[in-house]
């Protein structure tokens, strides 16, 4: 093979891992894309820069399907913006972040999308968006069509947080049906609101609504109940559905059973539900671990981990939310008033690689499917999540043997803590290419400036996962 011009970068000596297979290969990068994946026996083509990946894995840049970036919710604003979150993402081997355009009270879904897109202009990596619909009126179908045409084909629905962002069951049905006609997929936060509200009331009456009792306020069965209801709606209208942050084997099994009946249903889980349990709420800083759904009992975590290892989890999202300890502690005597969520866009790769591959024995090809390939496909992001000719040159080199202890001082998220402090992890990105630019190498981070593109989601095909 000959190249008209020297390649920008060649990554050689490593094992290239895709969801569909792996093997030794040289990756040739030109003009922001992968020009060739060639035999390691062939001589390197002329190039500007070579990255020696001998003994290392070369995987597609991560696609994080679940990030909250600089969002204001009530009185609390997340501490990062697209610049900061994207830098942290790149340090962590994620080259595409998908954020949520959640409308403020009185704001339309389409206006929320426009506002987020403007904020994304400072991103250092590529970005995409989920829309969000909270209620149905006679403009909603047109807004969904306009969002799809504008490249937003995934829409978040909440079955809880009544009077804030909750969508009633009839709204869920209309969105699922309308979005399906646009080649899209609904992304559902499924917890049964009436069960949650009652559990919160009971906890408050017993003086147990504080962060230390967070797990009590959102029982596991609330998740399974809402998943079952939404799956029935999806099956009824013949639409696909993706469940964000599943935490229990019961919920995962409902999705699997629906899939066997022909429903296109998908399960996402998050690093923290695979690695942290409710014991953290007895910690000195329980507020730091308050997220929704809550961290679960150790047996639940073990069963979820087992489901991930047997192939029943489709995607890993960080559910990144950057708050400080001070923000979280302010109302930690009542979890109903606290900001929820954990910082995690930077640690998604090492936390899940360690848990699933290094300690769990998951084939690395399967890990790549969950970390990059499936999230790309389930968001309509063509050219992402794969190392193949023509794909975007988003590439991570990692050493599966190298271990490093997590310390918040070494991380780049705008939070003063990490839930993984002190853990020894492997799977840290050593070199990262984002759209062909070397942004991380042995010399550290090379800020590319505000070059992240707003990606246009294509229609999501009917049968897209292997
Ligand atoms: Zn979330």
């Amino acid at each position: 093979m000959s190249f008209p011009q020297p390649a920008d970068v060649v990554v050689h000596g490593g094992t290239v891992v895709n969801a569909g297979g792996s093997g030794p290969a040289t990756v040739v990068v030109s003009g922001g894309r992968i020009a060739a994946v060639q035999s390691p026996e062939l001589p390197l083509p002329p190039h500007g820069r070579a990255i020696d990946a001998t003994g290392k894995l070369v995987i597609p840049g991560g696609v994080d399907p679940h990030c909250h970036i600089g969002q204001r919710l009530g009185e609390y604003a997340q501490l990062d913006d697209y610049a900061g979150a994207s830098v942290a993402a790149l340090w962590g081997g994620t080259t595409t972040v998908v954020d949520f355009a959640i409308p403020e009270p009185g704001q339309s879904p389409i206006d929320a999308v426009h506002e987020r897109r403007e904020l994304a202009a400072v991103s250092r990596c590529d970005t995409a968006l989920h829309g969000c619909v909270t209620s149905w009126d006679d403009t909603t179908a047109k807004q969904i069509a306009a969002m799809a045409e504008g490249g937003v084909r995934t829409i978040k629905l909440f079955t809880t947080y009544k009077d804030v962002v909750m969508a009633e069951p009839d709204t869920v049905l209309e969105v699922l049906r309308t979005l399906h006609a646009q080649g899209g997929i609904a992304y559902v936060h499924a917890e049964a609101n009436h069960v949650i509200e009652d559990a919160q009331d009971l906890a408050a009456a017993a003086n147990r609504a504080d962060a230390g009792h967070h797990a009590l306020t959102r029982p596991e069965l609330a998740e399974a109940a809402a998943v079952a209801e939404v799956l029935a709606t999806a099956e009824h209208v013949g639409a696909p559905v993706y469940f964000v942050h599943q935490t229990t084997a019961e919920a995962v099994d409902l999705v699997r059973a629906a899939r066997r009946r022909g429903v296109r249903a998908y399960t996402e889980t998050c690093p923290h539900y695979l690695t942290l349990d409710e014991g953290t709420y007895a910690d000195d800083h329980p507020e730091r671990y308050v997220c929704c759904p809550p961290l679960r009992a150790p047996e639940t975590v073990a069963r979820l981990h087992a489901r991930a290892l047997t192939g029943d989890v489709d995607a890993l999202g960080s559910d990144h939310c950057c708050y400080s300890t001070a923000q979280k502690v302010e109302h930690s005597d009542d979890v109903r008033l606290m900001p929820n969520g954990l910082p995690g866009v930077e640690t998604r790769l090492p936390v899940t690689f360690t848990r699933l591959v290094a300690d769990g024995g998951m084939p690395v090809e399967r890990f790549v499917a969950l970390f990059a390939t499936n999230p790309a496909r389930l968001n309509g992001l063509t050219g992402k999540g794969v190392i193949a000719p023509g794909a975007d040159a988003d590439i991570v080199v990692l050493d599966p043997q190298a271990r490093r202890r997590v310390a918040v001082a070494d991380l780049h998220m705008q939070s003063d803590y990490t839930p993984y402090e002190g853990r020894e992890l492997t799977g840290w990105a050593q070199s990262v290419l984002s759209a062909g630019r070397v942004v991380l190498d042995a010399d550290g981070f090379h800020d590319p400036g505000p070059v992240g593109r707003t990606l246009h989601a294509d229609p999501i095909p009917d049968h897209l996962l292997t």
Side-chain angles (χ1 to χ4, degrees), residues 235-289:
E235 189 163 359
H236 169 67
V237 301
V241 61
Y242 174 108
F243 292 95
V244 299
H245 56 45
Q246 303 254 54
T247 71
T248 67
E250 285 71 20
V252 172
D253 290 350
L254 287 167
V255 170
R256 181 182 57 182
R259 197 130 114 198
R260 287 194 176 147
R261 296 194 302 276
V263 184
R264 290 165 55 209
Y266 305 101
T267 284
E268 172 196 280
T269 194
C270 308
H272 39 289
Y273 299 121
L274 290 166
T275 57
L276 298 168
D277 65 54
E278 65 185 12
T280 57
Y281 298 123
D283 193 300
D284 288 345
H285 282 287
E287 73 284 349
R288 289 177 168 177
Y289 303 94

Side-chain angles (χ1 to χ4, degrees), residues 66-68 100 156 158 189 244-245 268 292 319-321:
H66 194 155
C67 295
H68 300 276
F100 294 84
K156 180 81 171 278
F158 294 88
H189 174 144
V244 299
H245 56 45
E268 172 196 280
C292 297
D319 203 356
H320 171 77
C321 290

Side-chain angles (χ1 to χ4, degrees), residues 64-66 245-246 268-277 291 295 301 304-305 313 315-320 342-353 355-356 367 371 419-420 423 425:
D64 192 335
H66 194 155
H245 56 45
Q246 303 254 54
E268 172 196 280
T269 194
C270 308
H272 39 289
Y273 299 121
L274 290 166
T275 57
L276 298 168
D277 65 54
C291 52
L295 301 175
V301 176
L304 181 70
H305 183 226
V313 168
L316 296 166
S318 67
D319 203 356
H320 171 77
L342 312 178
V345 71
E346 186 172 358
T347 45
R348 184 176 68 119
L349 173 54
V351 168
T352 55
F353 188 91
R355 179 73 162 143
L356 296 172
F367 177 78
F371 179 70
Y420 308 102
R423 288 201 181 202
L425 301 178

Side-chain angles (χ1 to χ4, degrees), residues 37-114:
V37 182
Q38 68 179 36
S39 162
E41 311 295 324
L42 290 173
L44 296 181
H47 54 268
R49 165 129 195 225
I51 292 177
D52 183 355
T54 302
K56 296 173 186 169
L57 302 179
V58 180
I59 70 171
V63 177
D64 192 335
H66 194 155
C67 295
H68 300 276
I69 299 173
Q71 176 93 30
R72 171 170 283 283
L73 289 167
E75 63 179 290
Y76 295 104
Q78 289 155 8
L79 297 174
D80 51 7
D81 62 4
Y82 269 96
S86 59
V87 168
L90 290 168
W91 271 101
T94 285
T95 49
T96 302
V97 292
V98 191
D99 182 25
F100 294 84
I102 299 173
E104 304 260 353
Q107 190 180 36
S108 71
I110 192 109
D111 285 346
V113 165
H114 291 146

Side-chain angles (χ1 to χ4, degrees), residues 1 4 6 9 39 52 59 135 148 153 184 211 268 275 286 296 336 360 370 407 441 448 452:
M1 191 180 292
V9 186
S39 162
D52 183 355
I59 70 171
S135 62
R153 282 193 164 81
E268 172 196 280
T275 57
R296 302 298 193 188
R336 295 169 295 186
L370 305 188
D441 62 15

Side-chain angles (χ1 to χ4, degrees), residues 193-216:
N193 187 66
H194 62 297
V195 176
I196 303 276
E197 284 191 4
D198 190 64
Q200 289 176 335
D201 289 348
L202 291 169
N207 275 322
R208 291 179 160 194
D210 59 292
H213 293 93
H214 181 51
L216 280 182

Side-chain angles (χ1 to χ4, degrees), residues 80-150:
D80 51 7
D81 62 4
Y82 269 96
S86 59
V87 168
L90 290 168
W91 271 101
T94 285
T95 49
T96 302
V97 292
V98 191
D99 182 25
F100 294 84
I102 299 173
E104 304 260 353
Q107 190 180 36
S108 71
I110 192 109
D111 285 346
V113 165
H114 291 146
E115 186 184 316
R116 285 272 120 194
R117 285 222 161 131
E118 281 178 25
L119 295 172
V122 297
S123 183
R124 272 54 179 162
C125 68
D126 289 343
T127 69
L129 274 181
H130 306 293
C132 174
V133 169
T134 59
S135 62
W136 190 264
D137 63 34
D138 54 14
T139 71
T140 313
K142 278 197 184 124
Q143 291 194 55
I144 290 173
M147 284 192 269
E149 195 156 311

